[in-house]
Amino acid sequence: MLKDWSRNARPRLLKAVILGLVIGFLGLLLSPFQFMLNLEENTGLGLLFKLRGVERPSDEVVVVSIEKESSDALDLPNNPDKWPRSLHARLVENLVQEGAASITFDVHFIEPRNPEDDQLFAAALKKAGNVIIGEPLVTREIDANADGGGQAQPGIHSIVKIVKPIELFAKAAVATAPFSLPRIPFKVNQYWGFQTGAGDSPTLPVVTFQLLTLPLYDEFLSLLKNVSPQKAAALPPDSAAALQARGVKRLIRDIRNIFEGDPTLADNMLQALAASSSSANGTQNREMLRSLVKMYAAPNSRYINYYGPPRTITTIPFHHALDLHDGQVGGRQYDVKGKAVFVGLSEAVLADRKDSFYTVFSQADGIFIAGVEIAATALSN
């Protein structure tokens, strides 16, 4: 009887093996094509998120939302471009008073406004010393069918230009950085850590994370020195020297160039970190260092691990953040001490609202997620 079962099972097993090999071969054959990548991202990735469900984000990241609730409460137009910059100055001062570790504005300040308000905001930025402000990007397409010498150069080239904030704010902030995302109908599955097309400029989440981990710069440099003394010698000896001589963005570019020049460096540093017991403050610092190494070794574009629908990341309305005192306002508790705070448009926005994006958690009623929450999610990742 066992022999009969074995005799019948063999052909079925062979068929199953052949079918598996055929499916695997077809998968390998089709995987390089864009339509398969799109199918995997838009269907497979979405299914994975739905099966996983909502997840708790990091407690270390908070969003301050610029939205209609605050414009109504402050008796201001429902257009943040018309809000006085003295309000942003008050916000920065209060967040610093409440102990925010960093403040990142996903807001563009590219034109001067009321001189007195602008001076107040610049003074608040300079005094805080931990504020990063956004840089908009302008894309211009050039038809390269002719190069001026009669030679055909097929294709369209895109030139991405970074627009700097006004000089008054750019000098007062600790750093400026871009953060752009594709508009609908594209589903936003990835973000740029380093902005392709704009000189690989580090973006808001990357600059914010480097600023937050500056207290670990000595340990990071020691780790790099352990693996490659020659490469470590190319960097400033401590974080104070790095900020004074180069600034946060220049430091990031220099470290990024070192990692791009040696693809084995990240693995070697991670191995050295795993074998080391010198991290002064234990597990949390070790995890931060590991994330820092991985950030510099990662490709320009990375997938976003969304935690859930809009407002999954802790969100404080702008008008509440202005009046926050000892972590409380109006009977509510909002803790920003030691946390990374992102400021920008963020509410239960409709699809046609400015700075809203279509994601795997977008809802059938047109409620999309705001760009500032995607930036905060990227940092939380």
Side-chain angles (χ1 to χ4, degrees):
M1 190 173 179
L2 187 59
K3 288 181 180 179
D4 291 340
W5 178 86
S6 178
R7 194 180 303 116
N8 293 331
R10 251 181 255 148
R12 289 198 296 270
L13 181 60
L14 184 61
K15 286 179 182 178
V17 170
I18 292 172
L19 181 61
L21 289 173
V22 169
I23 292 172
F25 178 73
L26 283 174
L28 287 172
L29 194 64
L30 294 174
S31 61
F33 292 98
Q34 188 61 44
F35 79 91
M36 283 299 295
L37 293 174
N38 292 340
L39 180 64
E40 185 180 353
E41 280 202 6
N42 294 325
T43 304
L45 194 58
L47 179 61
L48 285 175
F49 276 118
K50 284 181 172 63
L51 289 172
R52 187 206 68 187
V54 176
E55 207 174 58
R56 184 177 177 178
S58 168
D59 289 333
E60 306 306 311
V61 184
V62 174
V63 170
V64 169
S65 58
I66 298 174
E67 20 68 317
K68 189 175 186 304
E69 177 187 332
S70 290
S71 62
D72 290 345
L74 297 168
D75 195 23
L76 291 169
N78 189 24
N79 179 357
D81 292 338
K82 296 183 179 180
W83 289 16
R85 286 172 177 163
S86 56
L87 274 182
H88 295 304
R90 276 180 54 198
L91 178 69
V92 168
E93 289 167 354
N94 203 43
L95 290 174
V96 169
Q97 181 70 28
E98 290 293 302
S102 67
I103 305 166
T104 302
F105 277 89
D106 187 19
V107 180
H108 302 147
F109 302 101
I110 58 175
E111 294 177 351
R113 297 278 172 78
N114 180 288
E116 186 177 347
D117 282 357
D118 285 356
Q119 288 292 339
L120 285 172
F121 186 40
L125 294 175
K126 189 171 183 179
K127 184 178 180 181
N130 65 349
V131 183
I132 303 159
I133 53 180
E135 299 172 336
L137 296 175
V138 176
T139 303
R140 186 160 60 97
E141 292 187 344
I142 297 177
D143 188 351
N145 287 327
D147 65 355
Q151 297 292 324
Q153 300 288 334
I156 299 293
H157 295 283
S158 293
I159 296 178
V160 180
K161 179 184 178 184
I162 292 177
V163 181
K164 292 285 185 182
I166 62 172
E167 188 176 6
L168 180 66
F169 300 156
K171 284 185 174 180
V174 71
T176 63
F179 188 70
S180 67
L181 295 164
R183 293 293 298 168
I184 45 180
F186 300 105
K187 184 183 286 186
V188 180
N189 294 321
Q190 302 183 52
Y191 75 97
W192 282 288
F194 296 87
Q195 186 73 49
T196 302
D200 292 346
S201 173
T203 61
L204 289 177
V206 168
V207 176
T208 301
F209 191 64
Q210 178 58 81
L211 182 64
L212 290 171
T213 55
L214 270 179
L216 300 178
Y217 179 81
D218 291 346
E219 289 188 62
F220 177 83
L221 191 62
S222 176
L223 195 62
L224 178 59
K225 193 179 295 184
N226 184 24
V227 172
S228 176
Q230 184 178 1
K231 290 181 175 66
L235 295 175
D238 55 61
S239 59
L243 282 182
Q244 185 174 2
R246 310 190 183 193
V248 178
K249 277 183 75 174
R250 173 66 188 278
L251 176 65
I252 292 170
R253 287 177 184 274
D254 290 346
I255 297 175
R256 174 72 168 176
N257 287 338
I258 290 173
F259 275 78
E260 287 185 323
D262 184 356
T264 67
L265 185 60
D267 285 341
N268 292 337
M269 289 182 70
L270 291 174
Q271 289 174 16
L273 179 61
S276 170
S277 58
S278 63
S279 188
N281 296 312
T283 304
Q284 185 176 8
N285 280 3
R286 190 178 294 273
E287 290 300 322
M288 295 282 274
L289 285 169
R290 184 179 290 111
S291 294
L292 193 61
V293 171
K294 288 183 176 180
M295 181 185 82
Y296 280 114
N300 283 2
S301 178
R302 302 189 67 175
Y303 282 97
I304 304 167
N305 178 18
Y306 290 105
Y307 299 102
R311 297 301 182 93
T312 298
I313 289 189
T314 301
T315 302
I316 308 173
F318 191 100
H319 68 288
H320 282 171
L322 284 176
D323 297 326
L324 197 60
H325 182 69
D326 290 336
Q328 296 189 25
V329 58
R332 300 187 190 182
Q333 290 189 328
Y334 299 111
D335 182 16
V336 300
K337 188 173 183 180
K339 300 185 180 183
V341 180
F342 281 77
V343 183
L345 289 166
S346 175
E347 57 183 325
V349 291
L350 298 177
D352 60 352
R353 177 66 189 262
K354 184 180 178 183
D355 204 44
S356 63
F357 297 89
Y358 177 52
T359 73
V360 66
F361 282 103
S362 293
Q363 300 170 20
D365 56 5
I367 296 177
F368 287 10
I369 194 168
V372 68
E373 190 167 353
I374 295 177
T377 298
L379 177 68
S380 191
N381 289 171

